[in-house]
Amino acid sequence: MNFKKIGVIGGGTMGQGISEMLAAKGLDVLLVEETPEKLDHAYNMIETSLDKQLEKWAITKSEKKLIMSKIHKVIHFAELGTCDMVIETISENLQAKQEVFHQLDQVCPSNILLASNTSTLSLTEIAGSTKYPERVIGMHFIYPVAKINLVEIIRGLKTSDETFEATKAFVEEIVDKRGVMVHESPGFVTSRIMCVMINEALHVLGEGVATEEDIDDSMRIGYQFQYGPLEMADRFGLDSVLAALERMFREFGELKYRPSYVLKKMVRAGHLGVKTGEGFFKYNKDGERV
């Protein structure tokens, strides 16, 4: 399958990262958001990301200009009918995702692949809202998208072999990342393991064993993680981590997935991490730790 134009639904952190990465690979990207204001914000955040790379001489001005020219702002789903693939990156809400895929089913011909960047939800349930569930697949990119060379490719119950092979080729030959096949299971591989580690770090914090800084330094320096578990949670979004843990706790019924009360307290307080400027640590508007 020839991939030239990709739709990306959702202009949050993951949507921005995926859009920037695809445009840098030379693909045309149709970026979709609910409102013009949110769309402008997402577009501006991508430009800010490129400006940071420009400051570090990682890219040139002409490269930045070329990447931005590949990203097109879109409000209406109907425009996605000309894409070769559409990737959904909205928040982890099953009903919201099902509604998105139902709408996509109305405007995208049956040959267009529909992918979800979900980290925990059932692809079978998401695909159930479409007439062609065989073309629906999970494609879970990991934050930060540009730096992590792994994508989980998740098959739903009715995902066809052709859809899987085309998606794997897209991930490995065009996006140039390692694609691993995952059979549907709550949390898949990466989220299931990382959320348990984050949850255990929260238990350690709640018991007063160590401070936020020392917990993160222990894992970041001691085990060469890019971020410690608490900063990782901040960057994922504490509300997203809570939702993932609650879903896995419901599905598996095992205590290791029961969310720490510290996490619940932070979410209730509205301290969601980078997206709100404060979580376990504080961040500026560019997402850098203060």
Side-chain angles (χ1 to χ4, degrees):
M1 189 170 181
N2 194 15
F3 294 99
K4 291 184 177 178
K5 187 188 294 184
I6 309 296
V8 176
I9 299 177
T13 302
M14 293 303 294
Q16 293 164 25
I18 292 170
S19 298
E20 180 186 324
M21 180 269 300
L22 294 175
K25 297 291 183 183
L27 297 165
D28 282 303
V29 177
L30 301 189
L31 178 60
V32 185
E33 253 298 356
E34 292 178 306
T35 65
E37 292 76 20
K38 287 184 177 181
L39 192 54
D40 287 340
H41 174 73
Y43 191 83
N44 292 336
M45 289 300 290
I46 293 170
E47 187 165 21
T48 298
S49 170
L50 293 172
D51 284 337
K52 289 180 186 177
Q53 296 173 52
L54 196 59
E55 290 172 6
K56 298 175 182 176
W57 293 14
I59 59 172
T60 64
K61 287 185 178 180
S62 60
E63 285 173 326
K64 176 199 166 183
K65 186 176 180 181
L66 180 61
I67 291 170
M68 293 304 297
S69 73
K70 290 284 186 181
I71 301 173
H72 311 281
K73 294 187 281 187
V74 172
I75 292 293
H76 303 293
F77 274 31
E79 295 181 55
L80 299 176
T82 60
C83 292
D84 303 302
M85 173 188 281
V86 179
I87 305 171
E88 167 273 313
T89 73
I90 68 170
S91 59
E92 288 289 275
N93 180 297
L94 179 60
Q95 288 184 328
K97 287 181 186 289
Q98 286 176 322
E99 177 58 30
V100 165
F101 276 78
H102 177 70
Q103 291 182 50
L104 287 174
D105 216 40
Q106 311 303 309
V107 299
C108 295
S110 60
N111 62 304
I112 298 177
L113 301 186
L114 304 182
S116 174
N117 186 57
T118 180
S119 58
T120 60
L121 299 175
S122 165
L123 266 301
T124 301
E125 288 185 88
I126 292 171
S129 62
T130 72
K131 290 180 291 186
Y132 306 105
E134 64 275 5
R135 63 160 165 176
V136 177
I137 196 162
M139 196 157 54
H140 179 217
F141 290 87
I142 299 169
Y143 179 87
V145 176
K147 295 180 180 178
I148 305 298
N149 292 319
L150 181 81
V151 179
E152 290 182 301
I153 305 173
I154 306 103
R155 298 186 68 145
L157 183 64
K158 295 187 177 180
T159 302
S160 69
D161 291 340
E162 292 76 16
T163 295
F164 172 76
E165 293 300 334
T167 304
K168 187 174 175 63
F170 171 77
V171 167
E172 297 193 338
E173 296 172 19
I174 298 176
V175 179
D176 195 26
K177 294 183 185 292
R178 170 79 164 90
V180 294
M181 185 178 80
V182 179
H183 292 288
E184 185 175 302
S185 176
F188 314 131
V189 175
T190 56
S191 296
R192 181 170 171 180
I193 293 171
M194 288 311 304
C195 282
V196 172
M197 188 183 80
I198 289 170
N199 207 35
E200 192 59 33
L202 291 167
H203 289 316
V204 170
L205 178 66
E207 292 165 14
V209 176
T211 65
E212 294 94 334
E213 192 79 39
D214 286 344
I215 289 169
D216 268 23
D217 283 350
S218 296
M219 300 306 294
R220 185 176 56 80
I221 299 170
Y223 291 91
Q224 298 184 333
F225 282 32
Q226 181 173 6
Y227 303 114
L230 300 180
E231 183 171 350
M232 197 178 296
D234 280 349
R235 294 186 178 281
F236 289 158
L238 301 190
D239 52 340
S240 298
V241 175
L242 177 60
L245 282 166
E246 286 179 334
R247 182 170 183 83
M248 288 188 285
F249 185 44
R250 285 196 305 271
E251 293 281 349
F252 292 113
E254 295 184 28
L255 289 177
K256 64 183 176 182
Y257 300 112
R258 186 171 66 186
S260 160
Y261 76 90
V262 175
L263 179 60
K264 292 182 178 180
K265 185 167 64 174
M266 294 288 283
V267 171
R268 288 177 189 136
H271 299 324
L272 307 182
V274 173
K275 67 175 80 175
T276 58
E278 183 176 1
F280 294 105
F281 305 100
K282 292 186 177 181
Y283 305 85
N284 62 23
K285 61 181 178 63
D286 295 328
E288 297 171 339
R289 265 183 64 176
V290 177

